[in-house]
Amino acid sequence: MVSGHMFLCRRNSWPAEEYVSRATLQLLDFDGGAPPNQAWRRRLNSHANKLKEFSVTFMEAMKMMTLGVRLWSYVREEASYGRKAPIDPFTRENRKPCASQGVPLGGMGSGSISRGFRGEFKHWQILPGSCETSPVMANQFSIFVSRDGGNKRYSSVLAPGCHDGLKRSGDEGISSWDWNLSGQHSTYHALFPRAWTVYDGEPDPDLKISCRQISPFIPHDYRDSSLPTSVFVYTLVNTGKDRAKVSLLMTWANSIGGVSHHSGGHCNEPFIGDDGVSGVLLHHKTGKDNPPVTFAIAACETQNVSVTVLPAFNLSEENCSSEKCTTAKDMWDKMAQDGQFDRENFEMGSTEPSSSGNTVCAAVSASTWVEPHGRCTVVFALAWSSPKIKFQKGCCYHRRYTKFYGTSERSAVNLVHDALMKYKHWEEEIEKWQNPILRDERLPEWYKFTLFNELYFLVAGGTLWIGADLFLFILYVLESIILLCYLPIYYYFCGADSEAPGLEENARPGIKNEQESILSENASTNPVANHSSFGGNDVGRFLYLEGIEYIMWCTYDVHFYASFALLNLFPKIELSIQRDFAHAVLFEDKRKVKFLADGTWGIRKVKGAVPHDLGTHDPWHEMNAYNIHDTSKWKDLNPKFVLQVYRDFAATSDLAFARDVWPSVCAAMDYMDQFDRDGDGLIENDGFPDQTYDAWTVRGVSAYSGCLWLAALQAAATMAHHLGDRAVAEKYKVKFMKAKMVYESKLWNGSYFNYDSSSQSIQADQLAGQWYTAAAGLPPLFDEGRIRSVLQNVFEFNVMRVKGGRMGAVNGMYPNGKVDETCMQSREIWTGVTYGVAAMMLHHDMEYQGFTTAEGIFIAGWSDEGYGYWFQTPEGWTTDGHYRSLIYMRPLAIWAMQWAITPPKAILEAPKINMMDRIHISPLALRAFSESGVKKIAPKNSCFSSTVFHCDC
């Protein structure tokens, strides 16, 4: 927990007055129209620069050439089955990514649509694992203003008209619309899950406009946070002397991104709902046998606001086959002339299905009169109903929101209605959550809004949230009985190394049809696949991608960093994910897989090993989609599982959860014994990249994996003590005592722990185990002086020697001040790792170092002077700012910093007792430990002239 006098580091203050005049802010300061004091801000005319991707060096390319050939062959093979490989560096989008992202729309797990800060709707993720990045430019908000009896008219799309393909002469499509907004006096303000766009006299100099975008992302609300809907609240202030008729227009294409609108078979229909809610449904027929999607666009009619609709118009004149066909130009001209559509349009019924190549759109208009110096509010909403999820290998599920709204696509009407009725309540709950942090004067401003804005990933990171039913609950109960009663007896009589029940069918490599047959046979009997995360908490099951470029669900070595966000805000979801992995530990999938790094074959899932991920094309049924290395030989996954389980148990005090997963914790710990080759209690790495840094080779005893193992031993021993398993608690405590002596004697060099047995590189992430130890309220693994020495060296070398600390922490740095260029990952700056290192500094009262370290990520990624990675934070970047893997899971680790600042009550108020001291060691075990004869290795001479810590070597 941090102190009250903290944070002497530079403050990045972005006051709203620098972007919007104070007078305009005062005028909009009613009904939530004014943007907040703390927010990420941009002018709409800001240049959205193209982002630069990293490249490998010649030597790196030579080292990875064989892997590249195998990976290319695998990508081609998957494509032949109509599937996308989970890692595909060869296929690139035609449209290069640029710095134009903004707050995404919707709740979690029901598909998402992102919205750029200039107003474009893009990054469509309606179908699982699919992301269509290009904007659908027909999807817009527009405004029409008429004054002085129609003698003064203003009209414009409420987005700058600087996109490719616009303003073509003679076009009957959207180029015929008025794109009159320069963006010079319009600004965007983001504080996830809300965003404000303020039009300060554009296009009408006497009209101030604020559009407030709201999505139902509400911590601890497991109902509304699953809803696929967003609300757009327009606040209008007339500063002129005339009465103004203002018509706002929402247009929407029947599309789920990409070229889906050209496929044909789509139809629209108007609707009039309850409480003045009316609009248009857009029924979209998806391709490739995917479930259909229905959009609803609507506005709320009130005493002062009139709502009309145009159920269908076409983007081009060529596709109009009848005289009644309305083009985009016809629609615009109608609005410019009348400011509304005909009321008779509500009686039109459903349109005919669209023909192939034709783009059918819909429009909703809301019109009102604003008196001189008067104010008015107009509210629109968007919802999309895609009730069923279908994965490419056949399994189907219903999304969580269907538990409350049913499985009909027409539930979009109810979704959009409830959004318009409940958005004020959502805002109240959001402000209750955010205000204590925003009003904490100890915190730097950049940190406050970046903390919330990094949560964009829980919506835009390909999240899926499925419901649970009674049948799965019964399976869960039966399975829990088996786990709690049968397995302990089984292991007692047969030994921990014996064959446990699992997926016993084998398959020959290279025979796809046979493997898929085995998959279908096992799907109904695999407890991992059928497990539903009840445990008293009916929250369904949750998946999120490692990243948009790495299409693997719940990648566990990365979730280790990101999970602090879920545990802080949606702890039941976090426990659900942990239960999924706990069940996965105990089962085996013997289908053959080729590992691309070395070309060897192995089995997909080894019993006792924590899976790398829950799969790609058939999650829960077919885990470990990652096939670069054999992750059953990785050294970090099992310790990370044990550490996360203990942290979650300590934070929630959920004893039922601890008992449920305890057999898996024991199995995961015992599995690691094979990697302690010399019996000294400490695991060794095997000379290949066998941990989350999967291009960075590790040999022998290593700082990262070894520290994770030490922390896991302590966590497992403490958990065993809490559960009354004295024998196991003693076993792990003895191992911990032995391993700690070896770890320090082999790696400590007087200032920090060496990278591994062969390198003195300073690894930024070397104390990841100690980070979790502190986060879980456990005793420190090492002397406090050594921990602070490590962190100070990381700060001085990995942080401050890279562009003065304005980039984050580089993964590897030599004590001579040169970046470790052993491989591409050693020379990268990983955003999530930097946040994790900063969190550890906060845990150890190094506030200045912690916030300066994290501020580098803000400066490089989010600030005006950075590289443009807002709302698409990558896995990492090079020291020249070139990214790798945009929209990545790990940066959610910024919530580990908030965890360090305000620990959960269960950890903060826990008795300050060293539980390890309470674990009794029998005289026999103590004698064996004292006679183990662990040899101490003298630390190597590595004094640093620049360090503030004295070296005793």
Side-chain angles (χ1 to χ4, degrees), residues 19-269:
Y19 292 79
V20 185
S21 69
R22 186 181 296 272
T24 298
L25 289 173
Q26 290 174 346
L27 289 170
L28 293 173
D29 191 19
F30 85 101
D31 197 29
N37 292 328
Q38 289 93 16
W40 179 88
R41 312 185 199 276
R42 274 296 177 280
R43 299 192 187 279
L44 264 61
N45 66 345
S46 298
H47 177 63
N49 57 290
K50 301 291 184 184
L51 305 181
K52 295 182 180 180
E53 192 171 10
F54 86 108
S55 58
V56 297
T57 65
F58 175 78
M59 290 304 297
E60 289 168 353
M62 290 298 99
K63 291 178 181 178
M64 294 190 290
M65 182 175 292
T66 306
L67 168 61
V69 171
R70 294 192 188 105
L71 182 56
W72 179 79
S73 177
Y74 172 68
V75 169
R76 291 280 301 273
E77 180 186 4
E78 286 294 284
S80 70
Y81 292 99
R83 298 190 295 261
K84 187 173 182 180
I87 300 176
D88 178 6
F90 309 105
T91 305
R92 285 289 180 263
E93 294 280 346
N94 294 328
R95 186 184 184 93
K96 289 189 175 181
C98 61
S100 63
Q101 292 291 89
V103 174
L105 308 176
M108 298 189 297
S110 295
S112 71
I113 306 164
S114 290
R115 193 175 185 218
F117 72 84
R118 296 185 298 190
E120 66 273 25
F121 294 88
K122 57 184 184 177
H123 274 259
W124 300 73
Q125 297 183 78
I126 305 298
L127 304 178
S130 172
C131 181
E132 296 288 352
T133 60
S134 297
V136 177
M137 293 306 297
N139 297 350
Q140 298 290 346
F141 286 100
S142 304
I143 192 167
F144 303 83
V145 184
S146 175
R147 293 178 181 272
D148 192 21
N151 292 324
K152 287 183 181 179
R153 291 181 181 272
Y154 304 91
S155 60
S156 180
V157 178
L158 289 175
C162 52
H163 298 278
D164 296 339
L166 295 181
K167 295 292 184 181
R168 296 195 301 266
S169 60
D171 192 348
E172 294 287 311
I174 63 174
S175 291
S176 64
W177 298 353
D178 297 329
W179 297 81
N180 296 327
L181 199 77
S182 71
Q184 181 179 357
H185 302 292
S186 301
T187 52
Y188 181 82
H189 312 256
L191 187 66
F192 179 89
R194 297 188 292 173
W196 291 254
T197 306
V198 176
Y199 307 90
D200 194 355
E202 289 192 276
D204 180 350
D206 292 326
L207 188 67
K208 311 298 184 184
I209 310 166
S210 169
C211 173
R212 188 164 81 259
Q213 172 187 312
I214 308 157
S215 293
F217 183 98
I218 305 164
H220 307 287
D221 185 335
Y222 296 89
R223 182 189 187 278
D224 287 0
S225 295
S226 71
L227 304 184
T229 186
S230 284
V231 176
F232 306 88
V233 182
Y234 279 86
T235 302
L236 309 173
V237 180
N238 183 3
T239 60
K241 298 179 180 179
D242 322 324
R243 191 177 185 223
K245 182 181 180 181
V246 181
S247 298
L248 287 160
L249 176 71
M250 181 181 188
T251 53
W252 200 260
N254 197 323
S255 171
I256 57 171
V259 295
S260 60
H261 44 284
H262 290 157
S263 59
H266 318 308
C267 60
N268 300 346
E269 64 170 311

Side-chain angles (χ1 to χ4, degrees), residues 679-682 710 713 730-744 916 921-936:
D680 61 3
L682 189 62
L710 287 179
L713 286 169
E730 178 185 351
K731 178 176 74 172
Y732 293 147
K733 179 177 179 179
V734 171
K735 280 189 177 183
F736 170 77
M737 295 166 63
K738 291 173 60 179
K740 179 181 176 182
M741 292 175 59
V742 176
Y743 182 89
E744 293 191 281
M916 293 290 279
I921 301 179
S922 66
L924 184 63
L926 192 61
R927 188 180 308 114
F929 167 70
S930 61
E931 295 175 355
S932 60
V934 178
K935 294 182 179 180
K936 293 186 178 181

Side-chain angles (χ1 to χ4, degrees), residues 569-859:
L569 307 175
F570 298 94
K572 293 180 182 179
I573 291 179
E574 165 63 9
L575 296 188
S576 164
I577 293 173
Q578 298 301 349
R579 282 192 170 96
D580 279 340
F581 278 91
H583 285 73
V585 167
L586 299 175
F587 297 94
E588 188 165 73
D589 183 347
K590 289 189 175 180
R591 285 169 290 173
K592 296 293 184 179
V593 175
K594 184 178 181 179
F595 301 113
L596 304 181
D598 57 10
T600 60
W601 288 84
I603 66 173
R604 178 171 291 279
K605 168 64 179 69
V606 176
K607 182 185 63 189
V610 173
H612 172 273
D613 55 80
L614 292 177
T616 292
H617 300 305
D618 200 0
W620 301 297
H621 294 271
E622 185 179 88
M623 294 174 284
N624 280 336
Y626 177 91
N627 61 348
I628 304 296
H629 300 288
D630 181 355
T631 59
S632 69
K633 299 177 182 177
W634 277 19
K635 310 307 183 292
D636 63 335
L637 288 169
N638 283 36
K640 285 177 175 176
F641 168 71
V642 175
L643 288 171
Q644 288 182 75
V645 162
Y646 182 79
R647 178 206 57 187
D648 296 355
F649 165 55
T652 63
S653 301
D654 191 334
L655 196 58
F657 165 74
R659 288 171 176 157
D660 284 348
V661 301
W662 180 239
S664 300
V665 169
C666 293
M669 292 296 292
D670 291 343
Y671 180 86
M672 296 299 291
D673 284 345
Q674 63 184 301
F675 304 123
D676 177 13
R677 303 218 177 0
D678 53 9
D680 61 3
L682 189 62
I683 60 172
E684 290 88 36
N685 295 86
D686 286 328
F688 75 99
D690 51 358
Q691 25 72 49
T692 194
Y693 300 88
D694 59 350
W696 198 356
T697 297
V698 198
R699 298 177 178 86
V701 174
S702 71
Y704 182 73
S705 299
C707 189
L708 288 170
W709 176 239
L710 287 179
L713 286 169
Q714 179 173 245
T718 306
M719 191 169 179
H721 179 75
H722 281 296
L723 295 176
D725 196 335
R726 296 181 179 178
V728 172
E730 178 185 351
K731 178 176 74 172
Y732 293 147
K733 179 177 179 179
V734 171
K735 280 189 177 183
F736 170 77
M737 295 166 63
K738 291 173 60 179
K740 179 181 176 182
M741 292 175 59
V742 176
Y743 182 89
E744 293 191 281
S745 65
K746 288 189 175 181
L747 295 178
W748 180 251
N749 62 27
S751 295
Y752 63 91
F753 294 102
N754 291 333
Y755 173 72
D756 65 6
S757 298
S758 62
S759 171
Q760 288 191 339
S761 181
I762 307 169
Q763 185 179 9
D765 208 9
Q766 61 184 272
L767 288 185
Q770 172 55 35
W771 166 37
Y772 254 70
T773 294
L778 289 167
L781 300 176
F782 313 108
D783 177 76
E784 183 66 19
R786 289 193 171 185
I787 295 172
R788 291 176 64 89
S789 175
V790 169
L791 295 176
Q792 185 65 28
N793 274 280
V794 168
F795 179 71
E796 291 181 4
F797 286 84
N798 302 62
V799 177
M800 298 308 294
R801 295 207 180 189
V802 181
K803 296 192 177 180
R806 303 174 70 80
M807 297 287 289
V810 69
N811 284 336
M813 174 73 79
Y814 286 118
N816 61 6
K818 292 184 178 180
V819 173
D820 185 343
E821 297 187 350
T822 302
C823 66
M824 71 175 188
Q825 290 178 344
S826 63
R827 60 183 174 89
E828 286 180 330
I829 295 158
W830 284 11
T831 53
V833 167
T834 298
Y835 285 142
V837 170
M840 181 162 38
M841 291 172 172
L842 295 180
H843 277 296
H844 292 278
D845 300 324
M846 300 174 70
E847 292 91 2
Y848 171 78
Q849 293 89 335
F851 276 87
T852 302
T853 296
E855 187 182 21
I857 301 301
F858 167 78
I859 293 171

Side-chain angles (χ1 to χ4, degrees), residues 909-930:
E909 297 181 357
K912 306 303 179 187
I913 299 171
N914 188 335
M915 298 303 293
M916 293 290 279
D917 292 341
R918 291 194 167 191
I919 299 173
H920 175 72
I921 301 179
S922 66
L924 184 63
L926 192 61
R927 188 180 308 114
F929 167 70
S930 61

